[in-house]
Amino acid sequence: MIKRFLHKSFSVLLALLVLFSTVSFTIEKHYCGDVLVDVALFTEAQKCDMGTSGMAQEAITKNTCCKDEVKLVKGQDELKVSTFDDLNFQQQLFITTSAYAFVNLFEGLAKQVSPHKDYSPPNLVADIQVLDQVFII
């Protein structure tokens, strides 16, 4: 029971490790002055308004106190895909021998035939041993 649980949890852990090591993502932060306004993962962070309703766009870009910080976390993009033919002869021999031994390790039991499986015994009306007075002593 515990062995099966450990096996499944270890398998999930390794799958997540492979997934997160190959995924790239960005973390974008938006600061207004020294105050962190928004943090976004995979998307663009929301910008602060700073009262832009009456100002011109040029004035905002010249006198801005906001700054954006983008951090790119790059995953692994070069995965080596190797085939069985890329291995040398000793490695190929070891893998095939191990696989053959592992497959033949688990042989099934012979199927036991039960001829009385579908037979239902008759209903007993009376106890036959008492009627015939036959008792095991």
Side-chain angles (χ1 to χ4, degrees), residues 62-109:
K62 289 180 184 175
N63 298 328
T64 183
C65 62
C66 297
K67 67 177 180 175
D68 291 326
E69 185 178 304
V70 178
K71 184 176 182 182
L72 175 68
V73 178
K74 188 168 179 150
Q76 182 179 4
D77 58 349
E78 296 178 14
L79 296 176
K80 181 181 177 187
V81 178
S82 57
T83 62
F84 187 72
D85 296 329
D86 294 339
L87 302 173
N88 62 23
F89 180 71
Q90 283 98 13
Q91 292 172 337
Q92 289 178 354
L93 183 65
F94 176 75
I95 290 173
T96 53
T97 307
S98 299
Y100 181 75
F102 183 74
V103 167
N104 290 331
L105 182 65
F106 303 107
E107 292 182 5
L109 296 174

Side-chain angles (χ1 to χ4, degrees), residues 9-81:
S9 61
F10 188 66
S11 298
V12 168
L13 180 71
L14 286 178
L16 290 175
L17 178 71
V18 169
L19 176 70
F20 287 122
S21 69
T22 56
V23 172
S24 299
F25 59 93
T26 59
I27 301 172
E28 187 169 336
K29 297 177 185 177
H30 180 75
Y31 291 95
C32 279
D34 292 332
V35 177
L36 178 64
V37 175
D38 191 26
V39 177
L41 184 68
F42 299 116
T43 60
E44 187 175 332
Q46 284 184 336
K47 310 294 185 214
C48 57
D49 199 8
M50 294 291 291
T52 60
S53 59
M55 294 185 185
Q57 186 65 24
E58 305 114 21
I60 295 172
T61 57
K62 289 180 184 175
N63 298 328
T64 183
C65 62
C66 297
K67 67 177 180 175
D68 291 326
E69 185 178 304
V70 178
K71 184 176 182 182
L72 175 68
V73 178
K74 188 168 179 150
Q76 182 179 4
D77 58 349
E78 296 178 14
L79 296 176
K80 181 181 177 187
V81 178

